[in-house]
Amino acid sequence: MSPIPKKQLLAWLPVIVGLLVLYGPSLYDLFTGIWSSDEQMHGPIVLGISLWLLYRNWATMEVAASGKQTSAWGGAIFVFALLLYAVGRSQEILFFEIGSSVWMLMALLLLKRGLSALKVQWFALFFMLFMVPLPVTIVDIVTMPMKMAVSYAAEHVLFWAGYPIGRSGVVLQIGQYMLLVADACAGLHTLLTLESLGLLYLNLVRRDSFFRNVGLAVLIVPISFAANVIRVVTLSLITYHFGDAAGQGFLHGFAGIVLFLSALLLIIGFDSGLQWLESLRCGQSASSSAE
Amino acid sequence: MDCNGLSHFDVARVLPVPQNEPMKLVLKDIVMLVSMLLSAVLGYTLHPRIFLADELPPMDLVAMVPSSFGEWREDANLSAQVVNPEQQTLLDKIYSQTLSRSYVNHDGYRVMLSIAYGKNQTKDTQLHKPEICYPAQGFKLLSQKPITLNLLGNVVRATRLETELGARIEPLIYWTVEGDRNTTTAISMRLAELSYAARNRIPDGMLVRISSIDKATDMANQIQRDFASDLIAAIAPATRRRFLGIPTND
């Protein structure tokens, strides 16, 4: 059964129409523009998951918000979101244009249902931040050191494994092959995709333990890095053993899947590790209190 | 009510919309909808639509940049070998025109000139700066510093880079022009775009890069500066300002 009754849907109709007029064209531009590129593949996935999270928590939100005052802060945020949108849309600043949607939804929840409703939906809105395209300048600044670090780590892993490997900047040479670590292989967007994946895992698993939540959220950064190294190593090995065509062909896509699978496995592995640590610690404190 | 086991309090929880103030709610919704529509209209109408380049004579880099000037002659055999640290597909997507030439002087010193021109300076098609795209293609960035060039009495703010790829040391200078301004940072570029947008204009952009493969980087820099002066002097005065970023109202 839908958690949103028809009668409520009618009350939200003006807002829904407004949102469609504002963000319909934006979404069209995104889907026909940057979201169709390899680097920003996570955008539509994040949007879909955010909307699903909003929908899933809707009934809980209504219960939490019932009988509560709506918040006047919503008005101020609403105006801010509208200005941000107008500037972003007209000047093609996607960071503002798409970023305004998060502020807009926040304002709408405050205006229609109040602060307690926002508290229920905060994660869905926070999660939406991951779909906001970052300014090119920021992406460029962060991407280069990451690519260097990933290349460096991949070189050392392969060297220890006894492969004939050399590196100059972000160019790896394995056997007779030269591999250039591209943006898509080690970029900020991969990090963001994996970070969002990790946060979603945390939210879905719903740990009560603060220690495990914070621990894992922080660990996701090195996990993303490790996953990227695994991907570059995998690609290097594919190229070395099966040739250049294989490395650039369908196996390139395979390496992308390796990236996500290894990240997911690492996340689950670390989570179990943290759980074990916690049980150890709790066991100790339990036994020490018993003494 | 009682049969369902629901108290009056529970009903209130299920129906959170206060039933006694429907008018106020509707008014609020209408105000919100109107503001949203207004913002959408603003976003649409404030968007610049006229290309600055369309109001100027067409840009033709090959015709505007002479193949010989001062002590420099184009070495046609080598021009094909000017390394562009970005893939051709990306270059074609970003820029409307690119010019890559190798010049040689009577001493046999070689200088590579690369000019990239884009008609549309907006988000996806912005100029790609050498300090980003050289390292992206495997070059090491050894140093980077802002410099000023004096080209025919015009002060041009430029950047000096030293790059390395294996045994190849490639020092270079470059500057960028957006519309009729000599922009340097990403922020100054964005501000230039905004001020053009206020006049319903989309600026064009140009990146001029002069490089040579030379370990003696200070000497290379001096030669590149001289080359830049000779180059600008050789370009017809009418189009010169578009290569330098001199405001037309000067």
Side-chain angles (χ1 to χ4, degrees):
Chain A
M1 201 190 89
S2 161
I4 307 169
K6 269 208 179 103
K7 198 170 174 183
Q8 271 198 35
L9 212 57
L10 205 68
W12 283 86
L13 193 64
V15 164
I16 290 170
V17 170
L19 284 176
L20 284 178
V21 171
L22 286 175
Y23 296 107
S26 303
L27 283 175
Y28 176 81
D29 290 348
L30 279 177
F31 275 105
T32 53
I34 60 166
W35 278 7
S36 58
S37 73
D38 266 4
E39 281 179 42
Q40 301 258 357
M41 258 172 15
H42 67 287
I45 301 170
V46 170
L47 174 68
I49 293 173
S50 302
L51 293 178
W52 175 74
L53 285 170
L54 276 175
Y55 178 80
R56 193 188 66 162
N57 291 331
W58 201 266
T60 322
M61 179 194 84
E62 291 289 16
V63 172
S66 68
K68 303 269 173 57
Q69 283 285 313
T70 59
S71 170
W73 281 104
I77 299 173
F78 182 71
V79 172
F80 173 70
L82 289 176
L83 289 175
L84 203 62
Y85 173 87
V87 172
R89 178 85 190 146
S90 65
Q91 306 309 315
E92 301 194 31
I93 307 172
L94 281 174
F95 182 60
F96 286 2
E97 182 186 342
I98 308 304
S100 75
S101 66
V102 179
W103 294 100
M104 175 56 71
L105 289 177
M106 195 172 143
L108 292 177
L109 286 179
L110 285 173
L111 284 170
K112 303 271 300 177
R113 289 296 181 268
L115 191 62
S116 38
L118 186 64
K119 278 180 183 162
V120 173
Q121 297 286 17
W122 78 270
F123 182 76
L125 295 186
F126 173 73
F127 195 68
M128 274 184 97
L129 289 177
F130 284 97
M131 77 172 194
V132 178
L134 292 169
V136 180
T137 323
I138 290 177
V139 176
D140 284 344
I141 289 169
V142 181
T143 299
M144 197 53 214
M146 274 180 61
K147 276 166 64 173
M148 288 295 274
V150 167
S151 315
Y152 177 85
E155 179 204 3
H156 280 258
V157 168
L158 287 167
F159 181 74
W160 285 328
Y163 282 93
I165 185 140
R167 181 184 64 91
S168 168
V170 294
V171 178
L172 291 172
Q173 175 146 25
I174 184 161
Q176 76 269 39
Y177 298 106
M178 296 264 275
L179 294 162
L180 177 75
V181 178
D183 282 4
C185 293
L188 179 64
H189 293 120
T190 334
L191 176 77
L192 287 179
T193 309
L194 293 175
E195 183 76 40
S196 61
L197 185 78
L199 286 174
L200 185 68
Y201 170 83
L202 283 178
N203 188 258
L204 292 182
V205 173
R206 286 189 183 278
R207 299 285 181 220
D208 309 323
S209 159
F210 180 74
F211 169 69
R212 274 167 74 185
N213 276 329
V214 174
L216 208 57
V218 173
L219 278 173
I220 286 167
V221 177
I223 286 173
S224 308
F225 179 78
N228 268 317
V229 173
I230 291 172
R231 180 192 200 178
V232 171
V233 167
T234 310
L235 264 178
S236 307
L237 290 178
I238 289 172
T239 308
Y240 184 67
H241 289 290
F242 304 105
D244 202 28
Q248 296 306 312
F250 115 94
L251 286 173
H252 196 98
F254 169 75
I257 297 167
V258 166
L259 171 86
F260 284 98
L261 276 183
S262 50
L264 198 63
L265 287 177
L266 282 168
I267 290 171
I268 295 170
F270 271 105
D271 190 34
S272 311
L274 286 174
Q275 188 180 21
W276 179 75
L277 259 179
E278 195 177 41
S279 68
L280 210 68
R281 204 181 55 171
C282 292
Q284 269 177 357
S285 60
S287 57
S288 60
S289 63
E291 276 164 16
Chain B
M1 280 295 160
D2 287 329
C3 334
N4 294 332
L6 285 173
S7 67
H8 180 70
F9 180 70
D10 282 326
V11 174
R13 282 170 61 118
V14 176
L15 298 169
V17 183
Q19 296 298 299
N20 53 347
E21 322 177 76
M23 288 309 288
K24 196 180 162 193
L25 270 172
V26 168
L27 183 67
K28 192 163 98 178
D29 282 334
I30 289 170
V31 169
M32 279 159 75
L33 177 61
V34 169
S35 331
M36 284 159 103
L37 295 180
L38 194 71
S39 176
V41 169
L42 271 179
Y44 181 80
T45 51
L46 291 180
H47 181 64
R49 284 190 171 71
I50 301 171
F51 287 102
L52 195 68
D54 287 341
E55 302 174 315
L56 295 165
M59 180 65 79
D60 184 357
L61 291 177
V62 178
M64 287 172 176
V65 180
S67 58
S68 74
F69 53 85
E71 55 173 323
W72 302 97
R73 304 279 172 277
E74 185 190 356
D75 188 337
N77 296 325
L78 284 165
S79 280
Q81 292 173 21
V82 175
V83 174
N84 262 313
E86 290 203 72
Q87 298 96 328
Q88 198 57 43
T89 47
L90 184 65
L91 288 175
D92 291 344
K93 200 182 87 182
I94 304 170
Y95 302 120
S96 328
Q97 283 179 47
T98 54
L99 177 87
S100 293
R101 278 186 194 159
S102 183
Y103 289 87
V104 65
N105 70 1
H106 43 70
D107 297 332
Y109 193 91
R110 281 187 211 114
V111 167
M112 291 172 285
L113 171 70
S114 172
I115 302 178
Y117 172 78
K119 189 181 156 187
N120 180 359
Q121 281 298 290
T122 48
K123 51 169 190 182
D124 287 339
T125 47
Q126 264 173 349
L127 299 170
H128 278 210
K129 297 196 156 195
E131 64 259 33
I132 303 294
C133 56
Y134 266 75
Q137 295 301 308
F139 284 77
K140 268 186 208 153
L141 194 60
L142 301 176
S143 74
Q144 170 183 1
K145 63 177 173 196
I147 55 169
T148 52
L149 304 172
N150 195 315
L151 306 176
L152 289 186
N154 301 294
V155 174
V156 173
R157 281 162 299 160
T159 306
R160 174 181 170 180
L161 300 182
E162 279 170 31
T163 66
E164 179 197 79
L165 183 68
R168 168 183 172 150
I169 308 280
E170 186 177 340
L172 66 101
I173 57 172
Y174 82 89
W175 70 87
T176 54
V177 174
E178 193 152 18
D180 58 7
R181 289 168 201 208
N182 167 216
T183 51
T184 46
T185 60
I187 291 168
S188 69
M189 283 182 161
R190 188 47 100 177
L191 287 176
E193 279 165 44
L194 283 178
S195 75
Y196 277 111
R199 288 181 277 147
N200 192 20
R201 296 292 184 281
I202 300 166
D204 53 359
M206 184 185 285
L207 190 150
V208 182
R209 188 186 84 203
I210 299 164
S211 70
S212 45
I213 299 168
D214 191 347
K215 284 192 170 65
T217 54
D218 285 332
M219 196 192 79
N221 182 256
Q222 193 49 54
I223 295 173
Q224 288 165 6
R225 285 167 177 266
D226 295 342
F227 179 89
S229 292
D230 291 348
L231 169 74
I232 292 304
I235 293 171
T239 49
R240 197 176 285 155
R241 59 174 69 247
R242 294 178 78 183
F243 287 79
L244 294 172
I246 305 166
T248 33
N249 53 11
D250 267 15

